[in-house]
Amino acid sequence: MNRLLRRRAARRTAPYRLPLRGRLTLMTTSVFVVLGSGLLVLNWLSSRQLMEENRSLLIPAEDLTTPLPATGIPEPGPSPAPLPPESMQAAVTTPSEAFEDFQGRILDDLLVRSLLLLAVFTALAALLAWWAGRRSLHRLTQVTSTARRIGTGSTLDERLDLSGPHDEVRELGDTFDAMLDRLDRSFTAQRHFTAHASHELRTPLTLQRTALEIPLAQGRVPDDLKPALHRALDANARSQRLIDALLTLARGESEHLTPHPADLADGARSAQEDLAEEARTAEVRVTARLSPAPVAGDPSLLRHITLNLLANAVRHNHPGGTATTATGTHGDRAFVEVTNTGPVLDPGDVPALFEPFRRGPTQHGKSLGLGLAVVSAITLTHHGELTATPRPGGGLTVRVELPRRPGDAAADGPDGS
């Protein structure tokens, strides 16, 4: 949960970057422009050099100094009529000068046309690079979309199972499938161990509680030993609550849940009734603003969301504080939100509160450090989203949003904005 919240915050603050397809297109087009420009320059220089080397073939050496009209290279046929003396200086040029003018016009025209062709072929290269990048990365896009779908789901049953040639993308997909197999086996073994161990521990704890309660009920315990037996009973009850919390956590992380219609508002009312006595003892005033919040999931697990959030709000509070529960809908989501007063929290410390056996700054004997971890596990299993925000004056606001029950057309609640 800690890494998930940090990753989301980093994603929101990260600068925008071109996608891989865009970067490949830009790189390919840049390489084409550089190489094309180099080829253009070499072609222009080569043309100039060839024309210089073959000047003698175009103009005989004996004609290099023969005056010619300003039109350039002499044409075959009879000599033109002599020009008036006053225009002779402007109208007469040598074959060498005429060739220089001819060469300049040809090279300038060659440069302009080459630049136009380079621009046209650069655009074509960019389009072809974009198409080739899209075609080449299509299978990689399939890997990404499938991996995202598996990562946001509650099961690890799905696999990429890529087909096609045995290339780098196929190798990446096979490696990812092998990693999913190992994770699936590891998580399944961990959940089974937690559930089995919790079940096995219930029996000895029940026997211990019975062995302690019977002598106390029959009055066969000396007065000086009664405090010790009551402490043992409290420790036994604490262990029982811990086992129940571990079982709930294991069920919350389970990947085999059968969804049933449920309403987060019903769970909030039940949680408020269960914690009424504890809230009175802690001198915490509990209020509620409940609107229908229909969802689909495991009703018993969904009830633990509000129960654990409200228990956390009461136990990590101060005398005279408040705890408020709100439920409703917003768009295609149903939500439950619990706000409480209490100690001032550093925003950087909030993600750690959702890790197992992590307690807040106020330590209470009834706090096991599993409540928020259970809420996080159940939320993820039901494809929901959990956010926690410290209140400026102290305390915490925790909001859980779950997909609204399919087919439900209820209007948004008053607190859905």
Side-chain angles (χ1 to χ4, degrees), residues 194-227:
T194 302
H196 293 163
S198 300
H199 278 298
E200 291 297 327
L201 287 174
R202 277 184 165 182
T203 300
L205 285 175
T206 302
L207 294 176
Q208 291 176 10
R209 186 177 67 252
T210 303
L212 293 172
E213 289 176 346
I214 290 178
L216 284 174
Q218 294 178 349
R220 294 187 288 109
V221 179
D223 292 340
D224 56 341
L225 293 180
K226 286 183 178 180

Side-chain angles (χ1 to χ4, degrees), residues 327-343:
T327 62
T329 57
H330 178 58
D332 61 347
R333 313 283 283 184
F335 72 89
V336 56
E337 184 177 88
V338 177
T339 303
N340 66 283
T341 56

Side-chain angles (χ1 to χ4, degrees), residues 227-294:
L229 265 66
H230 285 295
R231 286 194 299 270
L233 282 173
D234 292 338
N236 183 278
R238 179 181 175 84
S239 300
Q240 185 66 45
R241 291 196 306 271
L242 176 60
I243 291 175
D244 292 339
L246 289 173
L247 278 173
T248 304
L249 182 61
R251 287 186 58 207
E253 294 176 342
S254 174
E255 57 186 49
H256 302 291
L257 295 177
T258 303
H260 297 282
D263 195 325
L264 296 178
D266 295 337
R269 294 187 188 92
S270 176
Q272 190 171 358
E273 293 174 0
D274 293 344
L275 295 169
E277 183 61 31
E278 183 176 345
R280 282 193 294 269
T281 303
E283 299 180 11
V284 175
R285 184 168 61 90
V286 177
T287 59
R289 301 191 306 272
L290 305 181
S291 298

